[in-house]
Amino acid sequence: QAPGLGASYRPPRPVGAWCLLAVKFEVMFKKATTVSFKGETRLRGKEAKRLREAVAARLGGEDIASALLPSKADVVLRKVGGGSSAQFVFVESECVLVQPDSRADVMEAELIPTLQSLWRVGTASAMLPVVLIQRPVAKFVFRGADVMAPGVHSVLPARGAERPPAVGALVAVVAVGNPSACAVG
């Protein structure tokens, strides 16, 4: 429980299309599923281990990788139809990573964590640099608005980093006073 918040505190439930990286599932979001997958590949032990190593190298270490991709979990890659080359990594039917370029090798490709993976880890700063937005701005971001400079409270580096993120770097957006991420981008 976050300090200063009552016992009835719940992390925000994002709605709408503001987070392009989270697959919209009927269980989690108000709108129906809008992503159609054209192919599915189950990863075997060796392939899952390579993916786990890539996650550990890029997103915060071995503890993050084991939280997102447990050793005995069912890992499935699903490619998106409609001319896109993106693929989604599902662990036990939950989308945890997005690979924008599915043609690249896992060790070289960009891996983007979804909101579910940030929530699974607990703190967004464990994986990504964090952009803190002001509380009044959060309701507009939840409705689909872009994050703009006047609404930014501060920028925090990722855990273990000394400097803030570079321009164009992948960040997690978190509202002041709420430890859960509300967007990735």
Side-chain angles (χ1 to χ4, degrees), residues 88-178:
F88 294 82
V89 178
F90 286 82
V91 176
E92 303 295 339
S93 300
E94 182 177 296
C95 184
V96 293
L97 295 168
V98 177
Q99 184 181 352
D101 184 14
S102 65
R103 293 182 294 263
D105 183 43
V106 173
M107 295 304 281
E108 285 102 33
E110 181 181 19
L111 294 172
I112 302 172
T114 61
L115 287 175
Q116 290 89 347
S117 62
L118 291 174
W119 294 339
R120 184 183 279 192
V121 171
T123 59
S125 64
M127 293 175 69
L128 297 172
V130 173
V131 173
L132 287 172
I133 58 173
Q134 300 170 11
R135 279 185 160 266
V137 175
K139 66 180 178 183
F140 297 106
V141 173
F142 293 152
R143 292 183 193 150
D146 293 334
V147 177
M148 296 184 195
V152 173
H153 181 271
S154 59
V155 178
L156 305 173
R159 182 172 54 184
E162 297 162 3
R163 298 187 313 163
V167 174
L170 189 64
V171 296
V173 179
V174 176
V176 172
N178 186 343

